[in-house]
Amino acid sequence: MIKLMADSTCDLPQEIIERYNIGIAPLNIIINDKSYRDKIDISSDDFYELLSGMDELPTTSMPSPEEYLKIIDKAIEEGFTEILCICMSSGTSGAYQSATIARDVFFDKNPDTSIKLHVVDSLCMSHGSGWLIMKTAQFIEEGYSFERIVEFNETYKTRVKHLLCVDDLDNLIKSGRLTNASAFIGKLLKVKPIMTMKGGKGAIVAKERGRNRVLKYYVNQFNQRVDREVTDFIIVGYTSVIEMANKLVEKIKAETDFKDKIYI
């Protein structure tokens, strides 16, 4: 039996987490010196509502090794003999390092164990790692071996394609990722930076004017880069404007030949 683990930045909805019995180690979000466990003490909707009124941006801290060890111990109690943990990119957080520490502590305490435990540095963020996790969950349901699933993750993690666009430049200014002058010009021209992951870190790959051009860019990139061999579902993520997510889904259906599942 294979147990699947992840951290909370995979941003998968609770129904998916429960369906595939995914063990989630929550990041900690610090707002005004108060710590919240991501998606346990504070929901995503509550977070974005608070964010709009903050002068200083919140900070985050990685899940502790103890959080991962709790999931590992519980999985073994439930009869799982193989455990796969898929983490957000090590280039953006210490979650992967924390999970590897938990793995090493487990094996140090149990040197003769027959339990198999592998930690994947997804090199992805949010629904990028979420896509890998869901694909892995499908493979588990289909009876793939642990070794084959590990090989898939380590091979395909660099081929996951994900794009992100921010609608409001204010938080990029606050975080120091964008100068006030650049932001002023960007707002004036209604320029929206489009980002992806390169080498495990976020990078701006394009700039478009207005939401419609952003969606057009997404669809063009999808048509050019989709891997038909393994892509039997895609994920459209959003923060607080679900209407844009719905609009993108409609555009994908109208302007591509993709007929499989699209999750929002």
Side-chain angles (χ1 to χ4, degrees):
M1 291 175 62
I2 302 174
K3 175 69 175 181
L4 192 51
M5 293 169 49
D7 57 71
S8 59
T9 67
C10 65
D11 291 329
L12 295 175
Q14 191 60 30
E15 63 190 80
I16 295 293
I17 291 168
E18 290 176 1
R19 174 181 170 183
Y20 295 117
N21 190 23
I22 304 167
I24 298 292
L27 268 72
N28 298 296
I29 302 172
I30 298 91
I31 302 174
N32 297 327
D33 296 324
K34 185 176 180 180
S35 182
Y36 302 84
R37 291 171 298 168
D38 184 28
K39 299 178 179 66
I40 297 175
D41 302 323
I42 186 169
S43 70
S44 296
D45 288 341
D46 289 340
F47 172 79
Y48 286 114
E49 188 173 338
L50 287 170
L51 187 64
S52 61
M54 290 181 194
D55 293 325
E56 292 186 13
L57 290 182
T59 58
T60 61
S61 63
M62 62 190 179
S64 67
E66 288 74 20
E67 290 284 354
Y68 290 105
L69 283 166
K70 286 178 191 175
I71 299 172
I72 293 168
D73 290 340
K74 185 179 178 184
I76 293 169
E77 286 175 11
E78 293 173 349
F80 291 95
T81 55
E82 298 164 320
I83 303 170
L84 182 66
C85 181
I86 302 175
C87 297
M88 67 191 293
S89 174
S90 62
T92 58
S93 167
Y96 170 73
Q97 287 83 356
S98 189
T100 58
I101 290 170
R103 176 201 62 198
D104 293 345
V105 168
F106 172 78
F107 284 128
D108 285 344
K109 289 182 176 179
N110 305 276
D112 300 320
T113 185
S114 60
I115 298 295
K116 295 177 182 178
L117 176 53
H118 185 84
V119 182
V120 177
D121 179 0
S122 73
L123 303 177
C124 299
M125 285 291 292
S126 188
H127 295 310
S129 59
W131 188 92
L132 273 176
I133 291 161
M134 287 183 62
K135 191 69 177 179
T136 297
Q138 287 182 355
F139 288 156
I140 292 172
E141 279 192 338
E142 293 168 17
Y144 281 44
S145 71
F146 186 70
E147 289 74 18
R148 189 175 177 188
I149 289 173
V150 168
E151 181 184 11
F152 174 84
N153 275 274
E154 296 295 355
T155 301
Y156 278 86
K157 67 185 184 182
T158 58
R159 295 169 63 178
V160 176
K161 303 168 183 70
H162 42 344
L163 296 165
L164 160 74
C165 182
V166 292
D167 197 42
D168 188 333
L169 300 178
D170 289 338
N171 289 328
L172 288 177
I173 302 169
K174 291 178 186 177
S175 69
R177 291 181 174 88
L178 199 65
T179 65
N180 281 295
S182 297
F184 176 77
I185 294 169
K187 285 187 171 186
L188 193 65
L189 299 176
K190 296 184 179 179
V191 169
K192 302 186 184 300
I194 297 172
M195 304 176 73
T196 190
M197 296 295 288
K198 288 189 174 182
K201 294 185 177 182
I204 294 176
V205 291
K207 296 173 184 176
E208 295 289 351
R209 292 182 63 182
R211 288 179 173 180
N212 289 335
R213 290 185 66 87
V214 168
L215 298 187
K216 182 179 179 181
Y217 179 89
Y218 283 171
V219 171
N220 287 343
Q221 286 293 299
F222 178 83
N223 280 325
Q224 292 172 29
R225 302 173 66 199
V226 63
D227 185 340
R228 298 292 183 184
E229 268 188 50
V230 296
T231 308
D232 55 1
F233 69 89
I234 58 177
I235 302 174
V236 172
Y238 70 98
T239 54
S240 54
V241 187
I242 194 171
E243 292 81 11
M244 288 304 295
N246 289 327
K247 192 171 181 179
L248 178 55
V249 170
E250 290 171 7
K251 198 168 179 67
I252 291 168
K253 289 179 177 178
E255 299 179 21
T256 78
D257 61 359
F258 186 77
K259 303 301 179 188
D260 290 313
K261 179 70 175 176
I262 302 175
Y263 291 96
I264 297 181

